């Protein structure tokens, strides 16, 4: 089983230099029944001194609170309307007067976010002691009160269902026309920040529209739906030159991936494929973007690459390098100065990340520079099996905030994570978040005996052949990864180069041919 021990399941602060509050100081847990009873008693208490004694604080993001929240008589519901959880500390700081001296009833989807947020409120001292949190979150509450109880609307969930609850209980409305509506589509997002927005079916049918969420409107980025912009099409196009074309997976029969509507233009301009890129072990989004710049340039008319850092930060490693290699044979107990431990580099270096980590490593606790305690092991990837669950939900959040994406590209460990993600989606969801996967110089982190069912996602596998120069990932390891995918919808490209993604013919031509199937 792939598992990990995490310091934080959800990032509370965007600034890595600031410590998160200690959850040992979190608010008192209330069961679903206790939480319900407090709201019931507050609503039935008509004494003036009881008025405004309680406040409900929603610890979720705006796209979640839009479609459902707790509402009770005599209890004010505070909706921070934040874009992401790491914005909550600032909201608490700026609105502390609304919380001071009150009995604060906090809630979120499953209870995780309230642990840290309630501890942060209590850390403010006098007047902020009475903080309570709904144990198990909205999910546990709705299990106890299937009719909804004091929760109105629907509960946003992070899987293919998107929301659960009474289908007739609608508290939200369409961003454009204001009609009652609460059915999210992953294709309807703010043009600026990529947050999900609610757009009814009639308004979605209006071709060429893009949307501006409430938060971006508040920041002066426009209040009207936006037509397709000139810089997106590379030249000015009139609305009558658009022709909607339905693209299906006819090329790969029997494969269930999202059907998407693309825009085909009279002058042969096509919407670019958006591809989420996962870097390798001990890399980051910036370095991977640099390493793939040549590929991006040669595919610029077809794709848009989006790069993200993995969630597990690693310590920076340095090794001793002798100034006189010929002295090695003369090394004694008292090593010469050229082999003495030297200090780590003093320049500022960018952080390094991983999707999967060695369960025996201390990378989760250790930051900064560390001297390598063992020589480089080219087979170290075989021990990197922990941390998947955190990486999976991290990617789900990335897709929610920055998507939608057409495909996913993984390099080395990023390819292993791509395969794990696709396999997990196949188990948990009826529809995958990606229409295709590209796996370069990858290896399998899936035990074959636990993965008897092939991954049914169109895939392209690109790796060095048995005579190639890839000294990090063996040809057989990459081939075993390719074997995890359904053979009839996968393509294998073997090259004679090293641990890279080739950008010359014929390999680039084969990649382009694969991508054209989805345009």
């Amino acid at each position: 089983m792939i598992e990990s021990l995490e310091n934080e399941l959800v990032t509370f602060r965007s600034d890595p230099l600031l410590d998160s509050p200690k959850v040992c100081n979190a608010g008192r847990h209330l069961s679903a029944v206790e939480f319900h009873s407090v709201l019931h008693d507050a609503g039935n208490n008509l004494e003036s001194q009881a008025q405004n004694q309680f406040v409900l604080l929603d610890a979720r993001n705006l796209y979640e609170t839009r479609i459902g929240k707790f509402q009770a008589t005599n209890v004010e519901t505070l909706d921070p309307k934040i874009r992401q959880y790491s914005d909550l500390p600032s909201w608490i700081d700026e609105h502390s007067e609304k919380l001071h001296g009150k009995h604060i009833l906090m809630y979120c989807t499953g209870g995780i976010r309230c642990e840290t947020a309630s501890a942060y409120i209590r850390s403010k001292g006098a007047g902020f002691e009475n903080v309570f949190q709904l144990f198990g979150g909205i999910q546990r509450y709705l299990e106890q009160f299937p009719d909804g109880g004091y929760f109105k609307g629907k509960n946003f969930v992070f899987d293919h269902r998107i929301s659960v609850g009474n289908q007739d209980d609608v508290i939200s409305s369409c961003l454009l026309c204001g009609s009652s509506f609460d059915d999210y589509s992953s294709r309807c997002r703010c043009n600026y920040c990529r947050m999900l927005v609610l757009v009814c079916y009639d308004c979605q049918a209006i071709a060429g529209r893009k949307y501006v969420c409430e938060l971006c409107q508040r920041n002066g980025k426009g209040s009207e739906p936006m037509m397709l912009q000139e810089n997106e099409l590379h030249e000015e196009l009139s609305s009558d030159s658009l022709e909607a074309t339905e693209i299906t997976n006819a090329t790969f029969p029997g494969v269930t991936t999202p059907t998407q509507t693309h825009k085909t233009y009279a002058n042969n301009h096509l919407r670019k494929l958006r591809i989420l890129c996962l870097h390798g072990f001990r890399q980051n989004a910036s370095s991977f973007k640099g390493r793939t710049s040549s590929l991006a340039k040669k595919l610029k008319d077809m794709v848009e690459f989006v790069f993200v850092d993995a969630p597990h930060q690693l310590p920076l490693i340095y090794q001793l390098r002798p100034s006189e290699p010929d002295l090695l044979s003369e090394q004694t107990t008292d090593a010469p100065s050229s082999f003495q431990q030297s200090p780590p580099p003093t320049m500022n270096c960018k952080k390094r990340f991983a999707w999967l980590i060695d369960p025996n490593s201390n990378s989760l606790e250790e930051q900064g520079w560390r001297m390598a305690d063992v020589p480089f092991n080219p087979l170290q990837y075989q021990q990197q099996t922990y941390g998947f669950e955190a990486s999976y939900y991290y990617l789900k959040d990335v897709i929610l905030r920055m998507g939608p994406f057409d495909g996913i590209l993984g390099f080395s460990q990023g390819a292993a994570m791509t395969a794990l993600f696709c396999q997990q989606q196949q188990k948990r969801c009826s529809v995958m978040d990606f229409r295709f996967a590209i796996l370069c110089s990858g290896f399998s982190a899936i035990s074959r005996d636990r993965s008897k069912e092939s991954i049914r996602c169109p895939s392209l596998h690109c790796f060095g052949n048995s005579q190639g120069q890839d000294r990090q990932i063996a040809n057989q390891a990459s081939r075993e990864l390719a074997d995890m995918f359904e053979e009839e919808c996968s393509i294998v490209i073997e090259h004679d180069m090293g641990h890279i993604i080739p950008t010359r013919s014929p390999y680039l031509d084969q990649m382009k041919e694969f991508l054209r199937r989805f345009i």
Side-chain angles (χ1 to χ4, degrees):
M1 178 182 294
I2 294 176
E3 56 183 280
S4 66
L5 179 64
E6 303 299 327
N7 292 334
E8 273 190 307
L9 292 180
V10 187
T11 302
F12 185 64
R13 289 182 183 273
S14 57
D15 188 343
L17 298 179
L18 298 176
D19 293 332
S20 292
K22 304 297 183 183
V23 294
C24 60
N25 192 39
R28 175 189 161 192
H29 287 167
L30 296 179
S31 68
V33 173
E34 290 174 324
F35 197 84
H36 184 89
S37 297
V38 171
L39 296 180
H40 177 270
D41 293 343
N44 292 326
N45 194 335
L46 301 180
E47 296 181 12
S48 58
Q49 62 183 14
Q51 299 279 339
N52 300 322
Q53 182 181 1
F54 294 90
V55 292
L56 279 160
L57 177 58
D58 199 320
R60 300 173 301 156
N61 302 320
L62 174 58
Y63 54 83
E64 301 171 83
T65 63
R66 277 198 202 107
I67 62 174
K69 61 187 67 176
F70 279 97
Q71 296 176 351
T73 306
N74 291 341
V75 181
E76 180 185 7
T77 299
L78 300 178
D79 181 359
K81 296 183 178 180
I82 53 177
R83 182 175 285 110
Q84 56 194 7
Y85 180 58
S86 57
D87 294 335
L88 187 57
S90 297
W91 185 91
I92 293 172
D93 293 341
E94 295 168 5
H95 299 84
S96 59
E97 74 283 353
K98 295 183 178 182
L99 305 173
H100 186 268
K102 302 291 181 69
H103 287 73
I104 304 166
L105 304 174
M106 297 190 67
Y107 65 92
C108 58
T109 305
I112 298 297
R113 284 175 278 188
C114 287
E115 294 289 341
T116 306
S118 64
Y120 182 71
I121 295 175
R122 284 172 53 83
S123 70
K124 290 185 170 294
F128 297 93
E129 306 94 335
N130 297 315
V131 184
F132 306 86
Q133 55 178 310
L134 174 58
F135 180 71
I138 302 168
Q139 181 176 341
R140 188 72 60 85
Y141 181 88
L142 293 179
E143 291 174 358
Q144 193 73 35
F145 299 93
D147 63 345
Y150 287 101
F151 186 81
K152 308 303 178 184
K154 296 182 179 64
N155 182 30
F156 187 99
V157 292
F158 294 87
D159 59 30
H160 65 282
R161 297 172 297 172
I162 300 183
S163 64
V164 295
N166 187 343
Q167 297 302 313
D168 297 325
D169 191 8
V170 181
I171 69 168
S172 46
S173 59
C174 171
L175 175 71
L176 303 184
C177 68
S179 61
S180 181
F181 187 77
D182 68 356
D183 189 9
Y184 275 119
S185 167
S186 62
R187 309 300 166 199
C188 296
R189 297 175 180 271
C190 175
N191 186 49
Y192 294 101
C193 68
R194 306 297 299 169
M195 181 168 64
L196 284 170
V197 293
L198 287 168
V199 182
C200 71
Y201 303 125
D202 290 338
C203 291
Q204 288 181 39
I206 302 176
R209 272 190 165 177
K210 291 197 173 182
Y211 318 111
V212 184
C213 73
E214 305 94 307
L215 299 182
C216 287
Q217 289 182 32
R218 185 193 305 167
N219 293 329
K221 293 185 178 180
S223 59
E224 297 297 329
M226 299 177 58
M227 300 303 292
L228 292 172
Q229 299 297 304
E230 179 178 348
N231 61 354
E232 289 185 283
L233 305 183
H234 305 290
E235 60 181 83
E236 187 174 355
L237 297 172
S238 59
S239 59
D240 59 1
S241 67
L242 304 180
E243 178 185 357
T245 303
E246 191 81 356
I247 304 296
T248 63
N249 289 304
T251 309
F252 299 106
V255 178
T256 304
T257 55
T259 298
Q260 298 190 355
T261 299
H262 296 267
K263 306 297 181 184
T264 303
Y265 303 99
N267 58 355
N268 294 325
H269 282 276
L270 301 178
R271 186 187 71 86
K272 294 182 180 181
L273 298 172
R274 297 189 79 235
I275 300 178
L276 179 63
C277 299
L278 309 188
H279 59 73
F281 181 75
R282 203 172 287 285
Q283 295 181 356
N284 56 42
S286 177
S287 64
F288 191 41
K289 183 177 182 180
R291 294 187 65 174
T292 56
S293 59
S294 177
L295 180 67
K297 184 176 181 179
K298 294 182 179 181
L299 297 177
K300 64 180 181 181
D301 294 330
M302 302 178 67
V303 305
E304 172 196 351
F305 287 145
V306 179
F307 300 84
V308 293
D309 291 326
H312 302 293
Q313 184 178 340
L314 302 172
L316 298 171
I317 301 296
Y318 70 99
Q319 292 181 315
L320 299 181
R321 294 187 178 182
S323 57
E324 297 181 13
D326 57 319
L327 292 178
L328 186 59
S329 58
E330 302 174 11
Q331 187 171 352
T332 62
T333 303
D334 297 324
S337 59
S338 57
F339 289 91
Q340 295 289 342
Q341 179 171 334
S342 57
T346 57
M347 74 286 288
N348 292 325
C349 294
K350 293 184 178 180
K351 297 176 181 179
R352 299 290 185 264
F353 301 93
W355 302 100
L356 305 169
I357 59 173
D358 186 332
N360 298 316
S361 74
N362 56 357
S363 60
L364 291 177
E365 294 81 19
E366 186 176 339
Q367 302 298 331
W369 284 97
R370 176 169 67 84
M371 187 179 72
D373 49 6
V374 293
F376 171 73
N377 177 11
L379 299 179
Q380 61 178 323
Y381 65 86
Q382 296 177 352
Q383 281 75 51
Q384 295 159 2
T385 57
Y386 278 35
F388 167 71
E389 199 71 13
S391 293
Y392 176 83
Y393 285 107
Y394 170 81
L395 284 178
K396 289 293 291 183
D397 183 62
V398 166
I399 295 167
L400 193 65
R401 291 185 291 105
M402 303 172 63
F405 297 99
D406 297 285
I408 182 170
L409 182 153
F411 176 73
S412 196
Q413 192 191 78
M417 181 64 203
T418 296
L420 284 170
F421 186 88
C422 292
Q423 185 205 43
Q424 200 72 355
Q425 288 244 294
Q426 185 167 293
K427 288 181 178 179
R428 299 182 180 185
C429 310
S430 59
V431 178
M432 289 190 178
D433 286 318
F434 304 105
R435 300 165 61 212
F436 61 87
I438 300 175
L439 304 97
C440 302
S441 300
F443 58 90
S444 173
I446 308 172
S447 176
R448 188 58 177 172
D449 58 354
R450 291 188 285 110
S451 178
K452 296 180 181 179
E453 185 179 10
S454 296
I455 300 172
R456 298 185 304 275
C457 177
S459 57
L460 173 70
H461 303 264
C462 183
F463 51 87
N465 58 31
S466 56
Q467 290 79 42
Q469 302 176 31
D470 191 336
R471 296 187 178 90
Q472 297 192 42
I473 306 297
N475 170 267
Q476 183 60 31
S478 295
R479 183 162 291 281
E480 289 176 359
L481 177 65
D483 291 341
M484 296 295 180
F485 287 76
E486 196 136 302
E487 185 177 0
E488 66 179 27
C489 61
S490 65
I491 295 175
V492 174
I493 301 175
E494 294 191 55
H495 57 79
D496 57 358
M497 290 174 280
H499 196 58
I500 63 171
I501 304 176
T503 58
R504 60 175 173 83
S505 296
Y507 314 117
L508 182 66
D509 299 330
Q510 293 173 285
M511 188 176 294
K512 286 182 177 180
E513 182 181 354
F514 174 81
L515 292 171
R516 288 192 188 100
R517 303 181 182 189
F518 304 94
I519 296 179

